[in-house]
Structures are given as structure tokens and as C-alpha cells.
Amino acid sequence: MTEKSSFQVKINRNRCEGKAACVAVCPNQVFEMGLLSKEEKNQLSFRGKLKAWAHGGKQAYATKMEQCNGCNRCVEACPEKAITITEG
């Protein structure tokens, strides 16, 4: 039986510009690129909406958060400082 990760990965949707640096550096394939849903777009600030539009609505998603080992490579690689990792 595999133990579930205790790390929580959060991506600030108003900051993420979909540059995929987190995807490239994650040793555990926690991240995937995806398109913002209409609901997610509606929740963005004005500036966040402009960024989303400029980048085609693509952003990173932590689709396999249970595989996160808390190494923080994604946090360090993100040029927008959009990712935080907490334990618990």
C-alpha cells in the first residue's frame, strides 16, 4: 500500500502565466498544463484575466498532488511565484 502525500500544492490563478516551468522541473510529474474553465476565468482579478487572455488561457494544474514530495523545485522554478506548497 502506497502512503498518500501530505503536501498540498496551490497555484495562484491570478499569477500563473502557463510557462510550464513547474512541469519541466517536477521529478514526480505532479503538474500538467490545462485550460482555465469559464468558472475559473470568472474568479480572476482584472489583471489575472488579462494575463490569462495573453497566454491563451493555459495554466498549470497539480493533477497528481498525491505524488508531491515537497522538494519545492516547482516553487523555485516558477517565474511568477504562483506556487506554494504546504504540509498537512
Side-chain angles (χ1 to χ4, degrees), residues 5-53:
S5 171
S6 63
F7 294 100
Q8 297 294 311
V9 180
K10 294 190 181 176
I11 301 170
N12 182 325
R13 296 278 161 231
N14 285 303
R15 289 182 172 232
C16 182
E17 294 183 1
K19 294 180 180 169
C22 54
V23 176
V25 301
C26 182
N28 298 314
Q29 294 78 43
V30 170
F31 300 92
E32 291 181 14
M33 297 305 294
L35 291 175
L36 288 166
S37 69
K38 186 174 183 176
E39 182 179 315
E40 288 170 322
K41 286 180 189 176
N42 288 337
Q43 293 175 2
L44 294 174
S45 66
F46 179 72
R47 186 175 178 179
K49 288 177 183 176
L50 288 175
K51 282 185 173 191
W53 175 80

Side-chain angles (χ1 to χ4, degrees), residues 9 20-31 68-79 81 83-85:
V9 180
C22 54
V23 176
V25 301
C26 182
N28 298 314
Q29 294 78 43
V30 170
F31 300 92
C68 179
N69 67 1
C71 70
N72 283 314
R73 289 181 189 175
C74 57
V75 173
E76 295 165 5
C78 181
K81 305 297 180 213
I83 303 171
T84 55
I85 298 177

